[in-house]
């Protein structure tokens, strides 16, 4: 039985590197188009693609353009208490506004890139109830509002099709929030209170 190839080994194939490059330009290319571009049959293209997908190296997903949504991005750097880090990573990974989440080595040990799909959200996410920096266990933080994104042109901004939850993934209830009551915040996209585009 042949051993499973690891991600680095899978990219050692020139055809697979070209395939990934083509899919990065157009994730909807058909197997026939991929095969023609690679000089192989669509059946061979499917085998290469299946290996990349089954290994976990390649993911195909829909991303949205922050520019077309007229959304702003916020970068948050946090120093999180060690015993709370795993819990906060889990909580923030469920937040529909988080598009990138990682741990860091250095003075800050957590970084989140978040999307503010409504102009008023920048203030609320930096100072208000939904401020990631106010979460218990965060010792200090820095927040940057992104001016203009040059690359990539699309991000994994989540769309929650069924708005059924009463509370947010971080434990807030938007219906009892003053910002929401005054119409300054569209609420969390994961909740039944949401009045925004996502």
């Amino acid at each position: 039985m042949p051993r499973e190839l690891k991600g680095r080994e899978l990219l050692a194939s020139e055809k697979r590197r070209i395939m990934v490059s083509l899919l990065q330009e157009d994730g909807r290319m058909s197997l026939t188009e991929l095969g023609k571009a690679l000089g192989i049959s669509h059946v061979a293209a499917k085998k290469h693609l299946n290996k990349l997908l089954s290994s976990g190296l390649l993911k195909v997903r829909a991303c949205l353009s922050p520019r077309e949504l007229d959304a702003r991005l916020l970068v948050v750097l946090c120093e999180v208490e060690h015993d709370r880090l795993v819990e906060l990573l889990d909580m923030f990974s469920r937040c529909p506004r988080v598009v990138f989440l990682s741990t860091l080595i250095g003075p800050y040990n957590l970084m989140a890139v978040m999307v503010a799909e409504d102009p008023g959200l920048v203030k609320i996410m930096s100072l208000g109830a939904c401020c990631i920096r106010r979460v218990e266990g965060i010792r200090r933080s820095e927040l940057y509002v992104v001016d203009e994104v040059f690359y990539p042109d699309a991000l994994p901004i989540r769309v929650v099709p069924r708005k059924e939850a009463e509370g947010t993934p971080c434990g807030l209830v938007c219906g009892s929030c003053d910002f929401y009551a005054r119409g300054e915040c569209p609420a969390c996209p994961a909740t039944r209170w949401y009045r925004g585009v996502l």
Side-chain angles (χ1 to χ4, degrees), residues 2-44:
R3 70 181 180 86
E4 289 294 314
L5 294 175
K6 302 244 187 282
R8 293 176 73 111
E9 295 171 303
L10 285 169
L11 280 182
S13 160
E14 183 180 7
K15 289 200 184 311
R16 290 190 188 128
R17 284 195 309 271
I18 293 169
M19 177 179 278
V20 170
S21 176
L22 292 168
L23 289 170
Q24 286 174 331
E25 290 297 317
D26 179 6
R28 297 187 63 188
M29 281 186 86
S30 70
L31 291 171
T32 303
E33 292 169 318
L34 283 171
K36 282 182 186 175
L38 294 167
I40 58 177
S41 71
H42 72 280
V43 174

Side-chain angles (χ1 to χ4, degrees), residues 30-185:
S30 70
L31 291 171
T32 303
E33 292 169 318
L34 283 171
K36 282 182 186 175
L38 294 167
I40 58 177
S41 71
H42 72 280
V43 174
K46 183 176 181 176
K47 285 181 183 178
H48 282 290
L49 182 59
N50 285 343
K51 280 193 186 214
L52 290 166
L53 290 168
S54 66
S55 74
L57 177 66
L58 178 70
K59 304 269 188 218
V60 179
R61 56 177 51 146
C63 292
L64 297 174
S65 166
R67 180 176 288 133
E68 296 302 318
L69 279 174
D70 200 24
R72 300 301 300 264
L73 297 176
L74 291 80
V75 177
V76 187
L77 303 172
C78 301
E79 179 188 354
V80 179
E81 293 171 6
H82 179 72
D83 58 339
R84 294 269 312 188
L85 185 60
V86 172
E87 179 186 342
L88 292 184
L89 283 167
D90 178 59
M91 182 176 74
F92 295 142
S93 70
R94 291 181 280 117
C95 174
R97 290 200 173 100
V98 172
V99 295
F100 181 88
L101 181 66
S102 73
T103 55
L104 300 172
I105 298 172
Y108 296 103
N109 56 358
L110 181 137
M111 180 176 102
V113 177
M114 303 179 77
V115 64
E117 75 279 6
D118 184 272
L121 278 171
V122 172
K123 178 180 174 185
I124 293 164
M125 290 169 68
S126 61
L127 301 171
C130 292
C131 177
I132 194 172
R133 304 184 307 172
R134 295 177 57 189
V135 173
E136 185 180 331
I138 294 181
R139 290 186 187 135
R140 66 185 176 120
S141 63
E142 290 187 32
L143 182 137
Y144 300 92
V145 178
V146 175
D147 180 37
E148 189 173 352
V149 176
F150 295 96
Y151 180 85
D153 60 350
L155 294 167
I157 299 169
R158 289 180 255 194
V159 174
V160 181
R162 290 180 191 83
K163 318 283 189 215
E164 298 169 346
E166 186 72 23
T168 67
C170 60
L172 299 175
V173 178
C174 296
S176 62
C177 173
D178 291 339
F179 290 104
Y180 180 78
R182 291 192 303 262
E184 296 174 30
C185 179

